[in-house]
Amino acid sequence: MEENDRQFKIIDRLYLALAILPLVVGMAINVLTSPASDGIEIAGARIFFEIPLPLQPLPITESQVNSWLVMVTIFFLCLYFTHGLTERANTKRQLILEWVVEATDNLVRENMGKYFEGFSPFVAAIMALSAFSSLLSLIGLYPPTSDLNVVAGWAVIVFVLITYYKNKCGFVHYLKSFGDPVPFLAPLNVISEFATPVSMAFRHYGNVLSGSVISVLIASALQGVSSMLLGWLPGFLGQVPFLQIGIPAVLSIYFDVFSGCLQAFIFAMLTMLYISSGFPADDWEKLKLQKQQLKEANN
């Protein structure tokens, strides 16, 4: 019994170590590859190297690498939380996990309906990936959500799902939907269709990036103000940016933690609403009933 408990704890610690390791690797890569700088720089994701391809080279960027590090971290965290599950929850870890699963199921059921109950893992994955990606800025890493290419990729996946469920009743039915409520609005409906992934991508990217930029600018301004107001202090005290102590950390709670998690929730909510609202549930039920009646008639 003690041997089993020891093995259980070893595996637990191994999963936690493997979840933390990608973040440590990311920080090491950031330290080793960041160029020297005399001041504050606001730039996009760095390009580490390029893979030659027939059409054009494929750049491997900082945001891509950090995205994979986040996915590996989430994977091992899932293994940690699901390790040793029992039929009846007897640990705080399992209670937390069950609460997360139930909350996600209820969120999907309330916003998408019973037909989309299987979307819970997808919605949870979107929120986790987005939130963890935004929180990378807390440890000095470039957040992938500040890269439009990454967020646009997520939006394209959502757009494919929206289009798939809109075509559930057939392509002809899908084309007719552009004429609702009146045919002459079809051009506007087409524009609105393709504007959906664009708006989702820019909303998420813009909010996360603006928060990072504002935090950096305020921290830089506080350093200048501290030097101007307190530079008269004797010795090294005049060189210490006292106004930078605490204030940037408080701002980071909003811009990095609250805003990052909020944008993850908003992106997931828009995903659920766009997919469920685009699905012609009533027409789909009628089509299923017609197919069932036709099948019974042929039998």
Side-chain angles (χ1 to χ4, degrees):
M1 191 66 176
E2 293 181 358
E3 182 67 22
N4 292 335
D5 290 341
R6 190 180 299 111
Q7 291 179 356
F8 184 86
K9 292 179 180 178
I10 291 175
I11 295 175
D12 261 4
R13 292 170 183 172
L14 178 62
Y15 284 149
L16 284 177
L18 291 174
I20 298 172
L21 181 61
L23 304 180
V24 176
V25 171
M27 289 188 286
I29 293 174
N30 185 53
V31 171
L32 295 174
T33 60
S34 295
S37 176
D38 295 330
I40 293 176
E41 294 182 358
I42 299 175
R46 289 174 292 139
I47 299 177
F48 291 132
F49 59 91
E50 293 183 344
I51 300 176
L53 293 176
L55 296 179
Q56 65 178 24
L58 173 64
I60 303 301
T61 67
E62 190 175 12
S63 55
Q64 290 172 312
V65 173
N66 290 348
S67 292
W68 278 99
L69 295 178
V70 168
M71 286 189 285
V72 173
T73 294
I74 294 175
F75 173 72
F76 283 110
L77 282 178
C78 290
L79 291 180
Y80 169 76
F81 277 105
T82 56
H83 180 226
L85 291 181
T86 57
E87 184 176 350
R88 183 175 181 179
N90 52 14
T91 62
K92 293 182 180 179
R93 175 173 56 186
Q94 185 169 342
L95 289 172
I96 294 173
L97 182 63
E98 290 183 359
W99 176 81
V100 171
V101 172
E102 290 177 1
T104 306
D105 288 342
N106 292 333
L107 185 68
V108 172
R109 192 179 301 110
E110 291 173 1
N111 291 280
M112 301 186 75
K114 293 184 178 180
Y115 182 83
F116 292 96
E117 286 181 341
F119 260 70
S120 295
F122 179 72
V123 172
I126 286 179
M127 287 194 287
L129 182 58
S130 177
F132 274 80
S133 296
S134 298
L135 293 175
L136 283 185
S137 58
L138 294 176
I139 56 176
L141 297 182
Y142 184 85
T145 45
S146 293
D147 190 335
L148 180 60
N149 298 289
V150 173
V151 184
W154 301 350
V156 169
I157 294 174
V158 174
F159 178 69
V160 171
L161 288 172
I162 295 171
T163 306
Y164 170 77
Y165 281 100
K166 282 188 175 182
N167 277 276
K168 272 290 190 176
C169 292
F171 185 67
V172 175
H173 184 279
Y174 172 65
L175 291 178
K176 289 181 179 179
S177 65
F178 288 108
D180 293 334
V182 286
F184 69 83
L185 290 179
L188 294 178
N189 290 332
V190 172
I191 295 174
S192 175
E193 187 80 359
F194 289 99
T196 296
V198 176
S199 64
M200 290 184 68
F202 274 97
R203 180 186 290 107
H204 197 316
Y205 155 78
N207 281 290
V208 175
L209 180 63
S210 62
S212 301
V213 172
I214 291 172
S215 296
V216 172
L217 292 177
I218 291 177
S220 177
L222 288 173
Q223 182 179 7
V225 173
S226 179
S227 176
M228 182 176 62
L229 297 179
L230 304 176
W232 56 269
L233 293 175
F236 74 95
L237 293 176
Q239 301 177 359
V240 177
F242 286 101
L243 295 182
Q244 278 190 321
I245 301 174
I247 298 178
V250 174
L251 294 175
S252 179
I253 294 176
Y254 174 78
F255 289 117
D256 295 329
V257 180
F258 176 75
S259 181
C261 295
L262 178 63
Q263 293 307 316
F265 178 75
I266 291 174
F267 192 89
M269 285 294 297
L270 291 176
T271 298
M272 291 186 289
L273 294 176
Y274 282 138
I275 293 176
S276 60
S277 62
F279 175 61
D282 294 336
D283 295 337
W284 172 245
E285 291 296 332
K286 293 178 181 178
L287 184 61
K288 283 177 59 179
L289 182 60
Q290 290 175 0
K291 288 182 178 179
Q292 183 177 358
Q293 291 175 348
L294 182 61
K295 185 178 179 181
E296 291 176 354
N298 291 334
N299 292 335

